[in-house]
């Protein structure tokens, strides 16, 4: 790979391009004609982006209307910021935003460190074969669908499932309603994320750990450092920047907690605590046809997300790292 | 070491539990709340599932959508990535169009409305077109194309080849490993996706396997109640719901497991590519 950056600054427009004024229309047309087949290749993808990515962005205008499917975009009544006012006044929306942030916080606080711990453990494994087997096992759940994961959890945790049976016969604990009790919702979601994604999350850390100079460990051993001190003084500091960057970028998408997983675990009994922005937009907009309000909530989410990502990226660059764009 | 072995087993346990449950006979699971070591391994649940028109149809639907969708996505992605790897006029603008979708999503409702306006609701294409190009894949594939030495294409130009010919006869064949990786990526996503089927498909005849799985495993609906009534008659003879659910999950996971060795190889590489960015 060459060292081309995505920022686009390095996009080497031909020298001609800088001499704008002097270029005649004919030469532009000539260049375009020469590139005609390239544009032909570009066209289907471009149409896709315009129709399915950018037209919907424009479609967000219905957040400023009282949209009715019968009147369409053009003839629905304009109501200005009415729906946005409602977004900030509606107790339900506030609760949903709170749920989203709280869940994100839990995931960062509990799921994220598991990946780090797991990669530290994997890094200590010396047997190459054993290491590969364990890696294969911990990566696997990443490729399962959320329906499958939620399905397994449902079957294992229901009131007469294996986990409750074990708790009952082993410890005499009465059946716990894991799936319906509201206070079990968030822990379950976080545990699922840990099971499904923490193995996968080790890849980047393991790559960073592979780059640590082995001489450092040799020197530490000479100084009499035991395994724990080596991890504390050498291993962790050497992946510190990776950890910081991943954390910052995770903060940038703090409002994205994953529609499918949440939706599949929601039921009428835990909806109060489990509803997050994406699922709320789905229920309001698609199930209840409250299009304008749901779009306003969605647009609010996208705009905050945009600010957060750009901010996170700036922050990452301040730490001397490349951002995501 | 030992702790890690435990972690590995923890990852493995649900799989074992599913397998054990799915092969348990109805009589045995009626007397016990759960079974870790079935006395007799029976395939009742599997026979039942493969006799269910609803489930088999959903498997065919999902397989078809996955194959057609992955090829379609791969074609569209590479066709767009190639011009973006050349210095075409407006390249920076087009790249910006793609990159902007990383940071700003259009939202569920407006996207739904466009899908509806383009008459895709209840069409299999609704499972293919709205997510046809993954911006991230597009950018990484473009990086890959940028890495192909110019000499090869210049030689072809001297031979009088146009850009279409270069793309089809030089670039694509040279990129086979990368294309295989992205094809797998699209295939897994397509096979696993539940969201699109949930919001764009109302017709139960067109449900994908993930939708059926949710109905029978999470919502505990009976498989026969999902069909058009013909099978209700044999409902009495059906194995217990849990056994069927576990068997259904395993069947829906087999394609992923079959591809897993390839996935692991390519995906780990892809993650690094994405983070190092060429």
């Amino acid at each position: 790979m060459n060292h081309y950056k995505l920022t686009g600054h390095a996009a080497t427009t031909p020298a001609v391009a800088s001499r704008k004024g002097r270029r005649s229309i004919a030469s532009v047309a000539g260049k375009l004609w020469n590139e005609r087949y390239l544009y032909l290749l570009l066209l289907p993808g471009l149409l896709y982006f315009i129709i399915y990515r950018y037209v919907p962005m424009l479609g967000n205008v219905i957040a400023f209307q009282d949209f009715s499917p019968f009147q369409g975009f053009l003839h629905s009544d304009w109501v200005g910021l009415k729906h946005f006012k409602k977004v900030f006044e509606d107790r339900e929306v506030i609760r949903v935003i709170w749920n989203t942030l709280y869940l994100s916080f839990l995931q960062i606080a509990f799921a994220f460190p598991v990946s780090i711990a797991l990669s530290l453990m994997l890094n200590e494994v010396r047997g190459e074969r054993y290491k590969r087997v364990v890696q294969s096992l911990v990566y696997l759940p990443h490729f399962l669908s959320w329906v499958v994961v939620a399905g397994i959890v449902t079957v294992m945790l229901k009131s007469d499932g294996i986990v409750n049976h074990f708790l009952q016969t082993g410890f005499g604990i009465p059946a716990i309603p894991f799936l319906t009790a509201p206070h079990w919702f968030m822990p379950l979601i976080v545990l699922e994320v840990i099971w499904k994604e923490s193995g996968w999350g080790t890849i980047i850390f393991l790559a960073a750990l592979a780059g640590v100079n082995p001489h450092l460990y040799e020197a530490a051993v000479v100084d009499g450092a035991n395994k724990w001190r080596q991890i504390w003084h050498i291993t962790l500091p050497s992946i510190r920047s990776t950890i910081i960057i991943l954390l910052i970028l995770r903060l940038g998408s703090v409002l994205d907690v994953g529609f499918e997983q949440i939706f599949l675990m929601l039921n009428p009994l835990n909806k109060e605590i489990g509803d997050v922005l994406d699922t709320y937009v789905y229920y309001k907009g698609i199930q209840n046809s409250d299009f304008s309000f749901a779009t306003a909530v969605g647009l609010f989410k996208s705009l905050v997300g945009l600010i957060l990502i750009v901010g996170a990226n700036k922050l990452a660059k301040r730490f001397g790292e490349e951002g995501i764009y | 070491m030992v702790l890690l072995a435990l972690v590995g087993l923890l990852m493995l346990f649900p799989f074992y539990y599913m397998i054990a449950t799915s092969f348990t006979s109805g009589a045995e699971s009626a007397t016990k709340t759960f079974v870790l070591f079935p006395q007799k391994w029976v395939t009742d649940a599997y026979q039942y599932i493969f006799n269910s028109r609803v489930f088999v149809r959903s498997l065919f639907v999902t397989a078809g959508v996955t194959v057609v969708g992955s090829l379609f996505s791969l074609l569209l992605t590479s066709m767009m990535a190639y011009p973006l790897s050349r210095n075409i006029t407006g390249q920076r603008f087009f790249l910006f169009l793609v990159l902007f979708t990383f940071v700003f999503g259009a939202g569920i409702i407006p996207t739904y409305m466009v899908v509806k306006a383009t008459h895709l609701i209840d069409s299999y294409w609704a499972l293919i077109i709205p997510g046809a190009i993954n911006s991230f894949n597009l950018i990484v594939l473009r990086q890959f194309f940028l890495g192909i030495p110019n000499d090869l294409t210049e030689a072809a130009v001297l031979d009088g080849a146009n850009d279409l010919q270069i793309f089809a006869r030089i670039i694509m064949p040279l990129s086979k490993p990368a294309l295989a990786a992205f094809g797998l990526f699209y295939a897994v996503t397509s096979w696993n996706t539940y969201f699109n089927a949930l919001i764009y498909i109302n017709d139960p005849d067109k449900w994908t396997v993930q939708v059926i799985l949710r109905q029978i495993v999470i919502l505990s609906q009976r498989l026969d109640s999902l069909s058009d009534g013909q099978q209700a008659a044999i409902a009495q003879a059906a194995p217990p719901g849990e056994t069927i659910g576990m068997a259904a999950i395993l069947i829906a996971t087999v394609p992923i497991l079959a591809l897993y060795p390839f996935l692991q190889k390519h995906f780990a590489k892809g993650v690094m590519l994405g983070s190092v960015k060429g």
Side-chain angles (χ1 to χ4, degrees):
Chain A
M1 285 291 156
N2 59 25
H3 294 281
Y4 192 87
K5 276 199 184 170
L6 286 188
T7 38
H9 297 304
T12 45
T13 31
V16 222
S18 58
R19 285 181 256 124
K20 273 175 199 158
R22 270 175 256 170
R23 282 207 299 177
S24 66
I25 297 167
S27 77
V28 175
K31 185 167 187 289
L32 288 176
W33 179 247
N34 285 336
E35 293 168 345
R36 63 191 180 279
Y37 291 119
L38 289 175
Y39 281 108
L40 199 63
L41 285 171
L42 185 74
L43 191 63
L46 196 60
L47 282 176
Y48 162 76
F49 268 93
I50 291 171
I51 297 174
Y52 288 99
R53 299 297 188 93
Y54 280 88
V55 170
M57 283 187 205
L58 296 178
N60 275 311
V61 295
I62 66 171
F64 303 96
Q65 296 178 329
D66 268 338
F67 178 76
S68 138
F70 306 106
Q71 289 170 306
F73 295 103
L74 298 176
H75 302 290
S76 291
D77 295 330
W78 289 90
V79 294
L81 294 174
K82 178 179 136 192
H83 296 293
F84 288 92
K85 281 202 189 102
K86 211 172 133 200
V87 169
F88 293 109
E89 283 162 6
D90 193 323
R91 290 184 144 242
E92 229 182 352
V93 181
I94 309 273
R95 198 193 67 227
V96 165
I97 292 174
W98 168 250
N99 287 349
T100 312
L101 290 175
Y102 183 56
L103 185 56
S104 249
F105 167 77
L106 288 180
Q107 289 187 1
I108 294 172
F110 293 100
F112 193 72
V114 173
S115 273
I116 300 176
L118 199 57
S119 31
L120 291 181
M121 290 198 288
L122 278 169
N123 192 48
E124 293 300 321
V125 174
R126 287 293 158 253
E128 205 45 50
R129 198 130 176 231
Y130 177 67
K131 186 174 176 178
R132 207 170 301 154
V133 170
V134 175
Q135 274 180 311
S136 299
L137 284 180
V138 297
Y139 291 171
L140 180 58
H142 171 78
F143 296 101
L144 302 181
S145 73
W146 274 118
V147 178
V148 166
V149 175
I152 298 172
V153 168
T154 304
V155 170
M156 289 179 68
L157 291 186
K158 60 187 184 181
S159 52
D160 56 349
I162 181 169
V163 172
N164 268 319
H165 182 84
F166 182 70
L167 290 176
Q168 258 170 311
T169 52
F171 303 94
I173 300 171
I176 299 171
F178 290 107
L179 300 167
T180 48
H183 62 273
W184 272 104
F185 184 81
M186 298 268 179
L188 271 189
I189 296 287
V190 174
L191 280 175
E192 284 178 7
V193 170
I194 290 177
W195 187 74
K196 190 171 188 286
E197 305 295 349
S198 61
W200 193 245
T202 60
I203 293 177
I204 287 181
F205 293 120
L206 284 175
L209 288 170
V212 179
N213 187 343
H215 293 304
L216 289 175
Y217 292 107
E218 287 163 21
V221 170
V222 172
D223 289 343
N226 63 24
K227 200 90 238 172
W228 294 109
R229 297 196 72 93
Q230 288 176 35
I231 290 178
W232 185 254
H233 290 292
I234 301 171
T235 316
L236 275 177
S238 59
I239 56 169
R240 191 177 54 203
S241 67
T242 312
I243 295 175
I244 292 175
I245 292 312
L246 288 180
L247 258 184
I248 292 174
L249 295 181
R250 180 66 187 77
L251 285 177
S253 58
V254 77
L255 294 182
D256 289 310
V257 282
F259 176 91
E260 288 192 1
Q261 184 198 9
I262 309 281
F263 177 82
L264 291 164
M265 294 300 290
L266 274 182
N267 54 51
L269 294 167
N270 60 25
K271 212 168 172 320
E272 183 82 1
I273 185 135
D275 219 1
V276 295
L277 278 169
D278 283 339
T279 51
Y280 184 75
V281 169
Y282 167 77
Y283 284 119
K284 276 286 166 200
I286 294 184
Q287 301 248 297
N288 296 343
S289 301
D290 195 349
F291 293 116
S292 287
F293 179 61
T295 306
V297 177
L299 183 57
F300 166 76
K301 187 201 160 209
S302 295
L303 286 174
V304 175
L306 174 66
I307 294 167
L308 285 173
I309 293 177
V310 172
N313 218 56
K314 284 233 167 74
L315 205 60
K317 281 185 177 148
R318 184 163 300 170
F319 276 90
E321 299 283 333
E322 271 189 75
I324 46 166
Y325 58 85
Chain B
M1 266 297 253
V2 179
L3 196 59
L4 212 50
L6 274 176
V7 173
L9 286 179
L10 201 66
M11 296 289 174
L12 212 54
F13 178 72
F15 286 99
Y16 174 74
Y17 177 65
M18 284 195 288
I19 294 170
T21 308
S22 70
F23 284 103
T24 306
S25 68
E28 194 180 348
S29 66
T31 56
K32 300 174 185 171
T33 45
F34 73 94
V35 177
L36 274 189
F37 310 101
Q39 287 163 342
K40 221 174 82 192
W41 294 71
V42 293
T43 55
D44 292 0
Y46 292 92
Q47 282 171 7
Y48 179 77
I49 286 175
F50 283 118
N51 279 326
S52 152
R53 261 181 52 198
V54 189
F55 194 86
V56 174
R57 184 172 50 204
S58 81
L59 279 180
F60 276 111
V61 166
T62 319
V65 167
T66 299
V67 171
V68 176
S70 311
L71 292 176
F72 183 75
S73 290
L74 205 53
L75 185 68
L76 230 58
T77 309
S78 45
M79 278 170 70
M80 190 170 186
Y82 179 60
L84 291 180
S85 73
R86 309 288 302 268
N87 283 318
I88 60 166
T89 315
Q91 185 200 37
R92 286 184 62 175
F93 171 73
F94 296 128
L95 273 178
F96 177 80
L97 273 188
V98 175
L99 290 172
F100 187 68
T101 61
F102 277 136
V103 295
F104 190 83
I108 297 171
I109 307 296
T111 308
Y112 171 81
M113 290 178 142
V114 170
V115 171
K116 198 172 174 182
T118 47
H119 302 291
L120 292 185
I121 299 291
D122 270 338
S123 148
Y124 293 129
W125 289 102
L127 305 174
I128 294 173
I129 295 179
I133 299 183
N134 174 311
S135 303
F136 181 78
N137 287 356
L138 178 66
I139 294 298
V140 178
L141 190 59
R142 170 180 175 265
Q143 299 286 10
F144 182 87
F145 286 155
L146 281 171
I148 294 177
N150 270 336
D151 322 1
L152 292 168
T153 48
E154 274 159 18
V157 171
L158 289 180
D159 289 343
N162 65 33
D163 285 312
L164 285 182
Q165 290 162 331
I166 293 174
F167 175 70
R169 301 215 184 115
I170 299 177
I171 300 295
M172 290 299 258
L174 274 176
S175 313
K176 267 182 200 153
L179 294 174
F182 287 110
L184 278 176
F185 179 96
Y186 279 125
V188 170
T189 311
S190 173
W191 182 268
N192 280 342
T193 297
Y194 168 70
F195 179 79
N196 288 347
L198 170 74
I199 65 171
Y200 301 138
I201 305 291
N202 302 315
D203 180 358
D205 282 353
K206 290 175 178 157
W207 274 351
T208 63
V209 71
Q210 305 291 342
V211 180
I212 302 278
L213 277 187
R214 171 173 184 249
Q215 301 293 332
I216 61 176
V217 181
I218 300 178
L219 303 182
S220 312
Q221 278 186 21
R222 299 194 61 93
L223 196 49
D224 46 58
S225 72
L226 295 175
S227 69
D228 21 41
Q230 287 178 330
Q231 288 174 326
I234 56 163
Q236 286 332 92
E242 191 166 303
T243 316
I244 295 175
M246 294 287 98
I249 287 186
L250 281 170
I251 293 169
T253 312
V254 162
I256 303 284
L257 294 179
L259 291 178
Y260 185 53
F262 308 100
L263 288 171
Q264 203 190 342
K265 197 173 108 200
H266 290 302
F267 272 64
K269 238 188 273 166
V271 169
M272 291 325 294
L273 251 184
S275 59
V276 179
K277 286 198 309 191

